[in-house]
């Protein structure tokens, strides 16, 4: 996967990356990385603004990360949206939705509690169009975390001078 540079439009906004001067919309799967890599996850929910959600078009291709790029995310694969994102209240989530979300949650109440409260969120349906093998991802994540830890320690030393 090619290296990319991060582009953030404003604090708290969804992450994008910039490659060769073009803004690329990405999805991160921090809670469900393994479910994504194993092909179990084909739906996700997001608290996007209406303006941002309109950028995501049916059948468009996007990069998938294990966490947001600005927090050391790794490019883990790609997705293609199977339809445009749509709004849904969390109380309308079904048991089938939980399976599409990767099968990590066993009941709707537990899923809603992750969000803090019932709210309307965007539902994003997609198909995986390639990904790292799980074992390769785990090695890459460990290496990246070790490098980030070393970098944080270096920065502490520089501040202490």
């Amino acid at each position: 996967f090619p290296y990319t540079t991060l582009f953030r439009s404003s604090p708290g906004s969804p992450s994008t990356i910039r490659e060769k001067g073009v803004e690329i919309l990405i999805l991160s799967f921090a809670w469900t990385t393994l479910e994504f890599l194993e092909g179990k996850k084909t739906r996700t929910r997001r608290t996007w603004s209406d303006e941002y959600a309109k950028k995501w078009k049916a059948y468009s291709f996007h990069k998938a990360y294990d966490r947001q790029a600005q927090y050391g995310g790794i490019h883990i694969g790609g997705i293609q949206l199977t339809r445009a994102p749509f709004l849904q209240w969390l109380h309308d989530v079904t048991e089938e939705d939980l399976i599409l979300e990767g099968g990590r949650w066993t009941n709707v109440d537990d899923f809603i509690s992750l969000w803090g409260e019932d709210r309307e969120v965007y539902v994003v349906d997609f198909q995986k169009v390639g990904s790292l093998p799980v074992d390769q991802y785990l090695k890459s994540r460990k290496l990246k975390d070790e490098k980030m830890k070393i970098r944080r320690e270096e920065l502490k030393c520089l501040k202490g001078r």
Side-chain angles (χ1 to χ4, degrees):
F1 298 112
Y3 290 97
T4 58
T5 57
L6 173 70
F7 172 76
R8 295 269 296 170
S9 56
S10 64
S13 67
S15 63
T16 61
I17 56 175
R18 191 172 288 280
E19 289 184 348
K20 298 180 182 177
V22 176
E23 183 181 73
I24 307 291
L25 304 173
I26 68 168
L27 275 180
S28 61
F29 294 93
W31 289 348
T32 54
T33 301
L34 294 179
E35 290 82 358
F36 171 81
L37 293 173
E38 293 168 348
K40 296 177 183 175
K41 184 172 181 73
T42 59
R43 175 171 284 174
T44 191
R45 285 170 170 72
R46 304 295 158 135
T47 55
W48 290 340
S49 69
D50 293 340
E51 179 183 340
Y52 186 76
K54 288 177 185 174
K55 294 181 179 185
W56 294 77
K57 307 293 184 194
Y59 311 110
S60 57
F61 290 91
H62 303 277
K63 291 185 176 189
Y65 277 69
D66 68 334
R67 60 178 76 153
Q68 290 184 7
Q70 70 269 21
Y71 300 116
I74 294 173
H75 179 195
I76 58 171
I79 62 167
Q80 181 182 23
L81 271 57
T82 56
R83 62 177 164 176
F86 62 93
L87 285 168
Q88 180 188 52
W89 281 92
L90 290 173
H91 67 256
D92 290 329
V93 169
T94 66
E95 298 294 326
E96 180 184 344
D97 287 323
L98 297 179
I99 294 168
L100 297 173
E101 285 277 357
R104 187 170 192 189
W105 296 275
T106 57
N107 66 65
V108 174
D109 289 336
D110 287 345
F111 185 74
I112 292 173
S113 71
L114 293 170
W115 298 85
E117 62 184 3
D118 188 22
R119 65 178 74 185
E120 196 173 33
V121 297
Y122 277 96
V123 178
V124 183
D125 288 325
F126 63 89
Q127 62 183 4
K128 184 174 76 165
V129 291
S131 68
L132 291 173
V134 172
D135 61 337
Q136 184 180 345
Y137 162 70
L138 294 172
K139 289 176 188 172
S140 297
R141 177 78 269 154
K142 183 178 179 184
L143 181 62
K144 183 124 187 186
D145 288 345
E146 288 170 358
K147 287 180 179 179
M148 289 174 64
K149 181 180 178 184
I150 291 168
R151 183 66 182 137
R152 283 191 300 271
E153 290 171 4
E154 289 172 345
L155 290 172
K156 281 182 188 178
C157 289
L158 289 173
K159 288 180 181 179
R161 288 185 179 177

